[in-house]
Amino acid sequence: QVQLQESGPGLVKPSQTLSLTCTVSGGSIRTNVYYWTWIRQPPGKGLEWMGAIYSSGSTYYNPSLKSRTSISRDTSKNQFTLQLSSVTPEDTAVYYCARAGGLPTSWDAWGQGTLVTVSS
């Protein structure tokens, strides 16, 4: 059974770049037909899909975040990463990594989530 685990700093200062890593176990991120995605949930708000990296390495982004978001992977470590630049307090959220099959939003496995607070 695939397992995902987010890691990274819990506090980021405004204007800096938020960086998170998702470590995957029990399955390879190179396996065909899966999207490896990042999702966030600000306090009191709904889920927001941020973007995904496909098993081939192709990337897909939410248009509203595309200019600030980069998703990459390290296949040797079975990890994929999120970078969100120029953060503001509005980027404070619980960030999740997840696996999706078929569509980038058809999530079938989740990490536990990690709270990132943007504050000076």
Side-chain angles (χ1 to χ4, degrees):
Q1 183 176 355
V2 69
Q3 293 184 318
L4 300 93
Q5 179 66 58
E6 305 89 351
S7 60
L11 180 64
V12 181
K13 294 185 177 183
S15 80
Q16 292 187 340
T17 296
L18 178 161
S19 294
L20 294 174
T21 296
C22 184
T23 301
V24 179
S25 58
S28 172
I29 62 173
R30 291 177 295 180
T31 301
N32 286 342
V33 310
Y34 286 123
Y35 296 88
W36 302 93
T37 74
W38 286 99
I39 305 138
R40 68 180 183 178
Q41 185 169 31
K45 298 185 179 180
L47 294 172
E48 179 179 36
W49 178 76
M50 300 183 70
I53 186 164
Y54 191 54
S55 52
S56 65
S58 298
T59 52
Y60 306 85
Y61 298 106
N62 184 327
S64 68
L65 296 169
K66 184 176 182 179
S67 64
R68 299 196 291 131
T69 307
S70 178
I71 297 175
S72 60
R73 66 180 184 174
D74 185 337
T75 56
S76 67
K77 296 181 180 179
N78 218 34
Q79 296 175 333
F80 62 105
T81 63
L82 169 72
Q83 290 193 312
L84 181 67
S85 63
S86 304
V87 298
T88 71
E90 285 68 40
D91 293 309
T92 294
V94 177
Y95 286 76
Y96 298 93
C97 59
R99 186 184 74 174
L103 295 172
T105 55
S106 299
W107 308 305
D108 62 4
W110 292 74
Q112 66 181 23
T114 186
L115 174 63
V116 179
T117 301
V118 179
S119 175
S120 56

